[in-house]
Amino acid sequence: MSDLTAEVLHPDQRPTAAAFPALAAPAVFWEDDRWWRFTERTDLHEVRYLAVRESGELVALAPLLVTRDGGGLLFYDTPKMTGELNAFGAPELLAPAERARWDELGGSLAEARRGQYPSVALAVFGSHHGIVHATGRDAAGRARVLAELPRLLDEAAAELGCRSSSLLYATDEQAAVLGPAAEARGHVPAVLGAESVLRLDAPDWDAYLAGLASRKRRRAHRELGEYAEAGFRTVVREGPEALSDSVVDLQVALRAKYGLPGGRPRVQRDFDAIREAVGDSCLVLSAERDGETLGFVLYLRAGRALYGRTAGFDDDRARGVYFALTYHETIRWALAHDVREIWYGLAAYDAKKLRGCDLEARHGWFRFTGEGRAELDETVRLQGASERDRLLGLGQDSTTSQGD
């Protein structure tokens, strides 16, 4: 009998770094209690917290993102991301019989999804698993929590009245413990993608360039040369004031281009929330020409790491700026300011690997109930298998084992 128990905290109970020191300046930015405050500002999910106790002692905390209907953010809305290729999956890589079955299942998914709300995901914005262990917990103690987490989430889902649930964005190391426990309870596993992390070990920009293969070095020189010849210069701003009106304008245009809802009020609200919650950690690199901002990338800094949050570019007037700013100029700044890791997030794996990123697999487990469960289970299995094949196709050295 396990002595691990869990409690879904009341909405008024907010974990803080003062009460749970592991949330203060953690190794990964997405585990900072200030970032959790930002996540709480969303109007697309209800944010609750799971408190895990061992023999009565608080040993772990995790955010729960509850979706009451189908309006949640794609990467944290369990039914919505099932069968949705913008979330994960590459069915073109499936064997012919599996691809035919994928196509066949597509017709029944809309109705099956509707019956799976409310839904809950154990995850946090940033495509991160969210579980934070108490300071000082050893590997065995962390493993005990992970082994019981699927059971504890099932109990939390029942308490919240949720018909579906998921554990999202676990690392390979976590998956080694979480996976068997989740699958033993009938949760369906899936590879969700890979976090792209660029690790820098050069002392400065010149040494970094010298360490590149000749082909990559020539590409860097060419892309930076074109950037300069087009009249661009990089302006770096830090702190809350880095989120300027120009940055908002570019983000609004980007969302409009891809047909995303909300318009300027949504973007302004999100940036205001970032400014208020984690403004001191903001870093914006802007591509400017004649005093006008035509491209930007927003990072959040924690110690010696940068975490990519969002970017925007004027497609008509800033062609070719993306790679120069997001990779070369970012790396140049990072090396000059004692940053040794850049987390670029999920997707666009070919470009990220080409520029030296390690691709680290992220795993999830899905649980559906009631009518339509069999179709959703099968869809997730095929979707996850195809995403795994996509990562493997990038090369055996591209991931540690096999992702807003």
Side-chain angles (χ1 to χ4, degrees):
M1 186 79 174
S2 173
D3 56 358
L4 282 166
T5 61
E7 172 192 7
V8 178
L9 298 179
H10 187 275
D12 293 337
Q13 293 178 276
R14 290 178 163 188
T16 66
F20 197 69
L23 296 175
V28 177
F29 187 83
W30 314 126
E31 299 173 10
D32 191 308
D33 69 335
R34 298 176 306 139
W35 182 248
W36 289 11
R37 296 292 83 77
F38 166 75
T39 301
E40 290 172 6
R41 297 280 293 268
T42 180
D43 57 1
L44 300 176
H45 299 270
E46 174 188 341
V47 180
R48 302 289 293 270
Y49 296 97
L50 189 70
V52 181
R53 293 183 171 84
E54 187 172 48
S55 301
E57 178 186 359
L58 183 62
V59 296
L61 284 167
L64 301 176
L65 302 177
V66 181
T67 311
R68 296 295 173 185
D69 52 33
L73 284 172
L74 174 59
F75 301 106
Y76 315 98
D77 183 330
T78 304
K80 188 176 183 179
M81 63 194 298
T82 302
E84 174 52 68
L85 298 181
N86 287 327
F88 67 102
E92 67 275 9
L93 300 178
L94 294 171
E98 291 178 324
R99 178 58 194 267
R101 180 57 178 156
W102 168 270
D103 293 339
E104 181 182 354
L105 287 164
S108 62
L109 289 183
E111 183 62 32
R113 289 190 191 109
R114 278 193 290 270
Q116 297 298 323
Y117 293 100
S119 182
V120 60
L122 193 154
V124 69
F125 292 176
S127 297
H128 193 63
H129 57 86
I131 187 75
V132 176
H133 300 274
T135 302
R137 293 283 284 181
D138 61 14
R142 294 193 298 270
R144 286 196 298 274
V145 171
L146 293 176
E148 294 295 329
L149 203 54
R151 171 181 67 83
L152 298 174
L153 180 60
D154 284 352
E155 294 172 358
E159 179 181 341
L160 292 166
C162 292
R163 298 188 180 100
S164 62
S165 62
S166 59
L167 291 150
L168 300 178
Y169 305 113
T171 65
D172 281 344
E173 182 181 7
Q174 293 164 331
V177 179
L178 265 175
E183 292 174 50
R185 297 186 64 85
H187 298 211
V188 181
V191 175
L192 303 177
E195 177 66 51
S196 305
V197 186
L198 182 63
R199 293 184 168 86
L200 303 170
D201 56 9
D204 54 40
W205 173 248
D206 289 338
Y208 168 79
L209 284 177
L212 295 177
S214 59
R215 177 172 52 86
K216 292 184 178 181
R217 187 164 55 250
R218 288 194 300 272
R219 180 186 299 110
H221 282 303
R222 184 183 71 251
E223 290 173 345
L224 282 171
E226 292 171 351
Y227 180 76
E229 289 169 10
F232 287 102
R233 70 184 186 101
T234 299
V235 178
V236 180
R237 298 179 177 87
E238 300 181 67
E241 302 311 312
L243 301 176
S244 64
D245 289 342
S246 297
V247 166
V248 173
D249 292 341
L250 287 168
Q251 186 67 19
V252 170
L254 178 71
R255 291 183 64 83
K257 174 183 175 182
Y258 290 102
L260 298 174
R264 176 170 289 276
R266 164 75 179 278
V267 172
Q268 190 68 63
R269 185 172 66 246
D270 283 354
F271 279 167
D272 286 346
I274 289 176
R275 185 183 296 111
E276 293 167 17
V278 293
D280 290 346
S281 297
C282 289
L283 172 75
V284 173
L285 274 69
S286 298
E288 300 190 5
R289 185 169 61 195
D290 299 328
E292 187 176 11
T293 299
L294 297 178
F296 82 93
V297 56
L298 165 63
Y299 299 98
L300 301 170
R301 182 174 183 178
R304 305 182 82 191
L306 295 179
Y307 296 81
R309 176 58 186 168
T310 192
F313 297 86
D314 185 318
D315 287 343
D316 294 330
R317 295 184 292 165
R319 294 184 183 277
V321 167
Y322 175 84
F323 290 119
L325 186 68
T326 305
Y327 293 98
H328 310 314
E329 291 291 81
T330 294
I331 293 168
R332 192 202 304 265
W333 187 92
L335 288 168
H337 292 84
D338 197 33
V339 169
R340 291 299 176 262
E341 287 187 356
I342 305 171
W343 290 45
Y344 282 111
L346 284 70
Y349 302 123
D350 289 308
K352 290 171 181 175
K353 186 186 177 190
L354 187 64
R355 283 161 176 79
C357 289
D358 295 324
L359 303 183
E360 301 177 353
R362 293 295 183 260
H363 306 265
W365 297 268
F366 295 71
R367 179 176 179 271
F368 303 104
T369 63
E371 189 173 352
R373 173 182 179 178
E375 289 82 359
L376 293 166
D377 283 355
E378 191 174 0
T379 297
V380 164
R381 288 187 190 280
L382 293 172
Q383 197 173 355
S386 69
E387 185 68 28
R388 178 200 62 214
D389 290 346
R390 186 214 304 264
L391 296 183
L392 288 174
L394 292 170
Q396 292 296 325
D397 61 343
S398 64
T399 94
T400 52
S401 67
Q402 328 226 15
D404 176 9

